[in-house]
């Protein structure tokens, strides 16, 4: 941030992704990196990491798998050469099954997740079943919430970079890593919204299938 350049001489600053309530801090919302930025970061990291340099053709896949999150990207790169993680594919698999004492998703999302209201958890769980952006009204149905309340919840979650709204904030997409975190730590809520989705799809098929398409 340009604010760091305005600090007086001798003054120190701590930049962290953790939310602090015990100190007066300035919060900056950082969006996901675009692919070009991820590749530039990987170029720098690969200077002293031969295993990463050897996997150059997998860098775009790495960017997609971590959804442009620089913290998770650096964590995955840091696993190369440790244990059986000799490739990016192995490091990404380790990410999905990371032990509790080395889980980057809990480090990044844990503080936020522990503060989720039941309604916020339901909204996020509903979104976890979709790969494409979803209209808020569909999220409300799966989360069993009022549509107006759902819009308000989605706006708050977007401010915390947990969901990505479209330009008009009409459709929303869940950050894939958040979905992965929810499936590990809130499986019951994810299952409930999944059951509602199955029922909705079944009803649509029965009402509009066959010659009634």
């Amino acid at each position: 941030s340009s604010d760091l350049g305005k600090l007086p001489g001798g003054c120190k600053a701590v930049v962290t992704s953790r939310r602090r309530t015990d100190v007066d801090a300035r919060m900056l919302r950082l969006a996901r990196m675009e692919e070009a930025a991820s590749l530039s970061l990987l170029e720098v990291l690969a200077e002293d990491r031969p295993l990463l340099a050897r996997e150059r053709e997998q860098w775009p896949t790495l960017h997609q798998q971590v959804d442009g999150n620089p913290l998770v990207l650096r964590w995955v790169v840091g696993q190369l050469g440790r244990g059986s993680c000799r490739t990016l594919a192995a490091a990404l698999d380790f990410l999905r099954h990371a032990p509790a004492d080395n889980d980057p998703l809990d480090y990044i999302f844990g503080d936020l997740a522990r503060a989720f209201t039941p309604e916020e958890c339901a909204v996020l769980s509903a979104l976890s079943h979709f790969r494409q952006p979803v209209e808020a009204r569909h999220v409300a149905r799966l989360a069993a919430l009022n549509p107006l309340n759902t819009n308000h919840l989605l706006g708050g979650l977007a401010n915390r970079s947990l969901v990505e709204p479209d330009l008009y904030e009409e459709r929303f997409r869940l950050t894939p890593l958040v979905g992965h975190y929810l499936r590990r730590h809130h499986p019951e809520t994810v299952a409930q919204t999944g059951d509602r989705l199955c029922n909705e799809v079944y009803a649509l098929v029965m009402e509009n299938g066959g010659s009634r398409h």
Side-chain angles (χ1 to χ4, degrees), residues 85 89 106 114 119 127-128 135 154 180 196:
C85 293
D106 187 63
R114 283 183 277 276
E119 292 79 11
L127 280 172
S128 71
E135 292 182 25
L154 286 167
H180 184 72
R196 293 193 191 105

Side-chain angles (χ1 to χ4, degrees), residues 53-142:
R54 191 176 65 190
E55 294 264 285
R56 189 177 301 273
E57 70 281 358
Q58 297 299 319
W59 291 3
T61 300
L62 172 60
H63 164 78
Q64 294 170 3
Q65 291 293 312
V66 304
D67 201 44
N69 187 304
L71 292 177
V72 182
L73 185 148
R74 288 188 67 104
W75 184 91
V76 172
V77 169
Q79 305 311 304
L80 289 177
R82 298 182 59 184
S84 61
C85 293
R86 304 291 296 178
T87 66
L88 287 176
L92 285 168
D93 183 67
F94 184 59
L95 167 66
R96 301 184 187 100
H97 305 91
D101 61 349
N102 189 23
D103 186 352
L105 300 186
D106 187 63
Y107 178 81
I108 295 170
F109 302 123
D111 283 351
L112 293 172
R114 283 183 277 276
F116 285 161
T117 65
E119 292 79 11
E120 288 175 329
C121 192
V123 166
L124 292 170
S125 295
L127 280 172
S128 71
H129 301 289
F130 298 92
R131 293 181 179 272
Q132 301 297 324
V134 185
E135 292 182 25
R137 62 190 177 96
H138 296 310
V139 177
R141 287 175 67 90
L142 297 183

Side-chain angles (χ1 to χ4, degrees), residues 147-158:
L148 291 177
N149 188 35
T150 300
N151 273 293
H152 175 73
L153 291 170
L154 286 167
L157 293 167

